Amino acid sequence: MNTIATKVLQRFTESFASTPNLYYSPGRINLIGEHVDYNDGFVLPAAINKGVYYAIAPNQSNEIYFYAMDFDEQLKINIADIKRMSGWQNYVLSVVNEFTLLSNTIKGFDCVFAGDIPRGSGMSSSAAVEGGLAYALDEMLQTGLTRVEIALLCQRAEHNYPNVQCGIMDQFANMMGKKDHVLLLDCKSLEHQYFPLHLQGYKIVLLNSNVHHTLASGEYNIRRQRCEEGLGILKSKLNIQSFRDITSVQDLMAFKTLMPEKVFNCCLYVIEEIARTKKAAALLQKDNIVEFGKLMYATHEGLSQLYEVSCKELDFLVNVASKNSDVIGARLMGGGFGGCTINIVKESGVQQFIQKATIEYQQNLNITLEAYITETDNGTYKIIN
Ligand code: GLA
């Protein structure tokens, strides 16, 4: 068993007399399709081998007990007192609250959890925290939800107490991921396909900028509002339902003067990114990883210049990657404003790339870089019971 899983289990058995179930709930990467999940676009995520481990057992009371090992913090709360709080508490309580709203069957339980997803890294530790707990509670309460229903419940949980108006990508990847595969998810219909990840001598390397600008969740909601405003204007002029119905950028240009510049730029990025992701998925199916990588750079450009969710640290790291011929694609990953870049790197050049990026990052920005070579994993699963 993984060392974190062992630690979580040990801590649980030291604290409680019951025997818990143990779960693993993964973080995610996203190859391409950024900031389009809440815009009816397509995304290409995968669940990864960094995540959150949960030990959990019912306690025959009305009390819920959480111990967050990574923070060395606990929370004991009566079911009747569940409310919005701050920090990690908000995520777990919001999941519990969703079960109450859904079926009012919540019962007391004891829970210990810990993980190895660096916070604010863009690998979606929040979806991992939500997904692991929701999956465990679904089993414990016998709610009988499907994995997709659990993902949707977790998305509602993130909207509710933490007030991040996220799309469905992270929670969907957390529940539906499949080892050695990426998911092509249609965020409008939730139809999805699995593509085997044939990296042919390449590795997926994440470079963690180790910055996380605090604006992130507020700015995230602002991007979402800009898109809604732009789409509203387009819908009033064109017979469309969503951005994907605009298949040519020319169609958007005609309405440029009707929108504030920032709204227009967001619309332009989204329309381009939806088209790019479709193209990228087709390339991946044909194992054309080199052309795929070029589209990742184009995504970064759009995220940085049009969508304005990058920052100097992420731009710096993508620039370092673009000068290295072993790196065929790089871009910021996730919500932005810090966190990781995702890079597709020739296996033989991985160590050199990491070394060089680490030195240059330290020299120019005086920040220590962290790098992870990523492996895919399955969506949330039970380890033991
Ligand atoms: C965050 C959100 C996702 C998605 C990405 C950007 O991770 O939780 O829903 O919007 O940002 O693609």
Side-chain angles (χ1 to χ4, degrees):
M1 207 192 298
N2 165 300
T3 49
I4 306 171
T6 312
K7 270 195 333 202
V8 166
L9 194 58
Q10 208 174 356
R11 175 68 198 224
F12 189 98
T13 42
E14 277 164 20
S15 311
F16 307 104
S18 52
T19 309
N21 286 344
L22 188 66
Y23 300 89
Y24 173 66
S25 179
R28 61 106 189 87
I29 52 170
N30 182 29
L31 290 187
I32 201 160
E34 213 66 270
H35 280 282
V36 288
D37 59 346
Y38 53 87
N39 282 313
D40 284 345
F42 302 86
V43 292
L44 260 180
I48 57 170
N49 64 345
K50 277 189 185 298
V52 177
Y53 296 81
Y54 269 99
I56 183 161
N59 63 13
Q60 280 77 42
S61 79
N62 286 328
E63 300 283 332
I64 297 179
Y65 175 88
F66 288 104
Y67 178 62
M69 282 187 88
D70 299 330
F71 299 86
D72 189 23
E73 281 175 13
Q74 57 176 349
L75 170 69
K76 194 171 178 190
I77 190 165
N78 192 287
I79 289 168
D81 299 331
I82 285 172
K83 58 172 189 307
R84 173 176 281 141
M85 294 179 101
S86 60
W88 62 265
Q89 291 87 339
N90 230 358
Y91 291 88
V92 288
L93 291 180
S94 201
V95 169
V96 175
N97 179 50
E98 287 304 324
F99 275 91
T100 310
L101 293 174
L102 189 76
S103 58
N104 215 5
T105 52
I106 202 80
K107 295 189 178 85
F109 60 87
D110 299 321
C111 167
V112 175
F113 69 102
D116 59 356
I117 307 177
R119 272 183 291 285
S121 63
M123 287 184 242
S124 202
S125 54
S126 61
V129 166
E130 293 151 3
L133 179 60
Y135 188 86
L137 290 183
D138 175 63
E139 283 203 346
M140 194 178 95
L141 304 168
Q142 298 183 326
T143 339
L145 299 176
T146 63
R147 281 180 175 267
V148 173
E149 285 166 342
I150 296 176
L152 289 164
L153 179 146
C154 291
Q155 184 194 24
R156 293 197 299 276
E158 181 130 358
H159 286 185
N160 204 340
Y161 288 2
N163 187 26
V164 177
Q165 302 302 313
C166 65
I168 189 62
M169 170 171 75
D170 302 353
Q171 291 79 10
F172 202 93
N174 170 267
M175 276 295 140
M176 301 295 287
K178 193 163 150 186
K179 193 168 169 48
D180 299 323
H181 291 75
V182 290
L183 265 165
L184 173 62
L185 171 65
D186 177 337
C187 299
K188 189 173 182 210
S189 65
L190 298 189
E191 275 169 25
H192 54 281
Q193 298 172 48
Y194 293 96
F195 292 172
L197 195 55
H198 289 146
L199 283 173
Q200 317 151 68
Y202 289 91
K203 287 277 178 195
I204 296 174
V205 179
L206 303 183
L207 296 184
N208 189 351
S209 65
N210 268 324
V211 293
H212 187 59
H213 297 287
T214 44
L215 297 169
S217 63
E219 287 292 325
Y220 185 93
N221 292 348
I222 291 172
R223 294 303 173 283
R224 189 165 180 158
Q225 280 160 17
R226 281 184 195 158
C227 292
E228 276 163 18
E229 185 181 337
L231 184 62
I233 295 169
L234 295 170
K235 272 172 143 174
S236 71
K237 301 287 172 191
L238 297 166
N239 184 20
I240 57 158
Q241 275 191 342
S242 65
F243 284 113
R244 71 167 65 180
D245 302 327
I246 301 181
T247 45
S248 128
V249 166
Q250 285 320 310
D251 294 348
L252 172 70
M253 290 303 173
F255 304 104
K256 188 169 178 177
T257 53
L258 297 183
M259 299 177 192
E261 194 187 352
K262 285 191 185 301
V263 171
F264 173 81
N265 286 346
C266 282
C267 294
L268 177 57
Y269 167 77
V270 168
I271 291 165
E272 286 181 344
E273 181 71 353
I274 289 175
R276 209 161 25 230
T277 307
K278 285 206 264 187
K279 203 168 150 193
L283 289 168
L284 197 65
Q285 258 182 322
K286 288 190 214 130
D287 287 337
N288 191 341
I289 198 92
V290 173
E291 288 303 311
F292 184 96
K294 290 182 187 159
L295 296 180
M296 290 172 72
Y297 282 118
T299 293
H300 185 79
E301 184 69 18
L303 286 168
S304 179
Q305 301 306 313
L306 295 173
Y307 217 69
E308 296 184 89
V309 291
S310 189
C311 56
K312 68 171 189 300
E313 295 86 355
L314 292 171
D315 288 344
F316 183 88
L317 291 173
V318 171
N319 190 39
V320 169
S322 70
K323 290 194 188 124
N324 186 323
S325 58
D326 287 331
V327 187
I328 56 167
R331 61 178 197 80
L332 78 83
M333 186 181 77
F337 302 103
C340 286
T341 60
I342 177 168
N343 306 266
I344 303 193
V345 189
K346 208 183 249 173
E347 212 168 337
S348 55
V350 167
Q351 287 316 326
Q352 214 185 18
F353 168 57
I354 293 175
Q355 239 169 39
K356 215 162 170 264
T358 307
I359 293 169
E360 287 187 30
Y361 196 58
Q362 186 77 51
Q363 274 172 356
N364 288 276
L365 291 156
N366 201 19
I367 308 172
T368 306
L369 189 72
E370 271 169 52
Y372 324 104
I373 300 166
T374 312
E375 303 292 337
T376 58
D377 205 334
N378 289 318
T380 296
Y381 55 89
K382 188 190 273 183
I383 304 174
I384 52 161
N385 65 336

